[in-house]
Amino acid sequence: DVKVTQSSRYLVKRTGEKVFLECVQDMDHENMFWYRQDPGLGLRLIYFSYDVKMKEKGDIPEGYSVSREKKERFSLILESASTNQTSMYLCASSSRTPAGNEQFFGPGTRLTVL
Amino acid sequence: QKEVEQDPGPLSVPEGAIVSLNCTYSNSAFQYFMWYRQYSRKGPELLMYTYSSGNKEDGRFTAQVDKSSKYISLFIRDSQPSDSATYLCARGGYNKLIFGAGTRLAVHP
């Protein structure tokens, strides 16, 4: 059974803390993605990576950074958490095709910043 | 204007009803369209995948793309309470997906 796992289901942090969200996939996929999901706004792409050590900004990269040192692992970093980063964070992976093929999602991390 | 527009609902229907979920998109250059289903407290899962125009059927679900009007539809026949979820449309291209906001559907017995 193919899987995308995320390090935490629920996380509570304080304003100004550095936050690490980790994602691991076991499908040998080239592409990995980080989204945030907010009511009424749907899924918004933060960053994606199409290869190890490669990254590209998505639609809302401000306040976030990412790291991809190994093919199976993609980390999202909030350098200094703020209350407006309270959200559901979803990681996904996909194989590399021109069409932007099926993405497989993890279960999500619900982050609350106090 | 968002690239993919979707009414967030919520939509509430009785069991057995036919459900129609719709999205519009603005960029006609792309030809891959998808519907994802997301149950509460879970990640989205691919439900249907279509290429270009036309219909695709899978059991009680039919996905339809009308490129002339830039319209994407998902029809659910004989809806069941287990269909209660958020449905997200997406268009694919350049290794990325652009999602609609998602429509929350509730099917009550």
Side-chain angles (χ1 to χ4, degrees):
Chain A
D1 195 19
V2 295
K3 260 196 169 172
V4 178
T5 57
Q6 295 184 227
S7 49
S8 307
R9 293 300 306 273
Y10 300 94
L11 212 51
V12 180
K13 295 291 182 181
R14 298 214 172 269
T15 302
E17 279 194 80
K18 191 168 186 175
V19 182
F20 293 87
L21 302 181
E22 294 233 307
C23 175
V24 178
Q25 51 98 1
D26 67 358
M27 293 165 280
D28 201 35
H29 282 163
E30 294 86 0
N31 302 329
M32 295 189 76
F33 307 82
W34 274 107
Y35 295 89
R36 64 177 283 177
Q37 186 175 30
D38 301 287
L41 298 177
L43 287 166
R44 293 182 292 166
L45 183 64
I46 304 171
Y47 267 97
F48 71 101
S49 168
Y50 51 88
D51 204 346
V52 175
K53 296 193 186 295
M54 306 300 287
K55 61 185 179 185
E56 283 200 25
K57 293 180 181 179
D59 301 316
I60 50 164
E62 297 79 18
Y64 304 95
S65 62
V66 290
S67 172
R68 191 158 179 211
E69 297 296 318
K70 293 185 177 181
K71 189 176 186 180
E72 68 271 17
R73 191 178 296 268
F74 192 34
S75 301
L76 180 70
I77 303 147
L78 287 66
E79 295 288 342
S80 178
S82 63
T83 54
N84 63 11
Q85 292 179 309
T86 292
S87 186
M88 169 71 86
Y89 290 88
L90 287 157
C91 175
S93 71
S94 73
S95 60
R96 187 183 297 155
T97 70
N101 219 327
E102 177 181 2
Q103 291 184 14
F104 295 84
F105 284 84
T109 296
R110 183 162 294 284
L111 173 67
T112 302
V113 183
L114 301 175
Chain B
Q1 183 194 7
K2 288 183 182 177
E3 196 168 336
V4 178
E5 299 267 12
Q6 183 176 11
D7 186 339
L11 189 60
S12 181
V13 301
E15 184 174 354
I18 296 174
V19 177
S20 172
L21 303 169
N22 304 294
C23 293
T24 58
Y25 64 95
S26 58
N27 191 334
S28 57
F30 299 99
Q31 301 196 68
Y32 291 85
F33 301 95
M34 299 168 195
W35 284 96
Y36 279 78
R37 179 174 60 195
Q38 184 178 20
Y39 290 115
S40 181
R41 290 186 290 278
K42 303 266 183 162
E45 292 179 305
L46 183 68
L47 186 62
M48 300 280 288
Y49 180 116
T50 57
Y51 174 76
S52 194
S53 276
N55 290 2
K56 185 173 182 179
E57 195 171 313
D58 183 3
R60 297 184 295 108
F61 298 88
T62 300
Q64 190 175 79
V65 178
D66 183 343
K67 294 201 80 177
S68 61
S69 59
K70 297 181 186 173
Y71 219 71
I72 315 164
S73 300
L74 179 71
F75 299 98
I76 307 174
R77 290 184 299 281
D78 186 27
S79 56
Q80 302 295 308
S82 59
D83 295 328
S84 299
T86 296
Y87 291 81
L88 301 119
C89 61
R91 75 105 178 109
Y94 304 129
N95 279 299
K96 292 195 291 182
L97 297 177
I98 303 296
F99 287 89
T103 300
R104 201 168 75 214
L105 171 67
V107 181
H108 50 88

